[in-house]
Amino acid sequence: RTRLPVRDGERVLGEVVMARSLDILTLLTADANQWGETGEMMLCALDGDPFRCFPGRFLSQPFTVPRSVDNRPSLVAQALKTEPGVIAAPDFRDQQVLAAYGPVGNYGLGMVVKMDRAELYAPVRRQLQIVMLSLVLMVALSLWLVHGRVRPLLRQLVESQQAAQASEARF
């Protein structure tokens, strides 16, 4: 949305408001709200320090993001690059995230789509835990079965050795 004052010399008569709907951004924002508990899309103006950002999923008011955090460029600052990219880094909350970033056309905006790494990898971690538990159970079952098969053989060997010793002693 752009507002321009209408003037008659020095006197302001009114203002002209031009608004352009960015339907794709509305759809992306709505879609971002479905990305788990920490998935978020940030859309920020790339001029100024700090960057001014549109309201998002977790902050209902416009907010700012610093250009750098702990002497590292912030995720939004990554969008200043001319090419989009992906990075694993801490965000402005100091949480480890996986983020995709890039400029939005020539509008002077940058977009960052991010999700906490812990939440992103949670399904893989859960599957890995299930696989590890299955392996442990299979190894335990295998050992129990081998023990059940070997025990009678060991008993026979011991009895046979005792019989041989008794026979040798009689001889």
Side-chain angles (χ1 to χ4, degrees):
R1 176 177 295 168
T2 305
R3 296 174 184 266
L4 298 171
V6 176
R7 299 178 183 271
D8 180 19
E10 293 296 315
R11 196 175 70 158
V12 176
L13 299 175
E15 112 182 317
V16 174
V17 178
M18 297 182 308
R20 180 176 176 200
S21 175
L22 297 174
D23 297 329
I24 188 68
L25 292 179
T26 303
L27 290 172
L28 283 171
T29 303
D31 191 37
N33 292 337
Q34 310 281 323
W35 299 337
E37 294 188 20
T38 62
E40 179 180 18
M41 181 186 79
M42 296 169 42
L43 187 64
C44 304
L46 295 179
D47 60 343
D49 186 13
F51 299 114
R52 294 166 302 164
C53 300
F54 290 91
R57 178 178 185 182
F58 301 113
L59 299 169
S60 59
Q61 298 294 321
F63 61 99
T64 60
V65 175
R67 190 171 285 269
S68 65
V69 178
D70 295 331
N71 295 324
R72 293 184 318 262
S74 66
L75 294 175
V76 177
Q78 298 289 336
L80 286 170
K81 298 177 181 175
T82 56
E83 294 293 319
V86 176
I87 189 171
D91 67 354
F92 64 93
R93 303 170 299 145
D94 205 29
Q95 295 292 315
Q96 288 293 324
V97 298
L98 186 63
Y101 59 84
V104 179
N106 58 358
Y107 294 108
L109 300 173
M111 181 183 292
V112 175
V113 178
K114 65 185 181 80
M115 180 181 278
D116 287 4
R117 286 173 53 181
E119 181 180 4
L120 185 65
Y121 294 132
V124 173
R125 189 175 295 115
R126 210 172 11 258
Q127 291 295 325
L128 186 61
Q129 288 171 342
I130 290 169
V131 167
M132 291 302 291
L133 179 63
S134 299
L135 283 174
V136 166
L137 289 175
M138 286 184 356
V139 167
L141 179 63
S142 298
L143 289 174
W144 181 74
L145 288 173
V146 166
H147 177 70
R149 291 289 197 169
V150 170
R151 188 171 179 183
L153 293 174
L154 285 175
R155 188 177 314 122
Q156 265 185 337
L157 183 64
V158 168
E159 288 172 359
S160 175
Q161 188 176 15
Q162 287 173 349
Q165 285 175 350
S167 176
E168 193 176 303
R170 270 181 293 169
F171 181 70

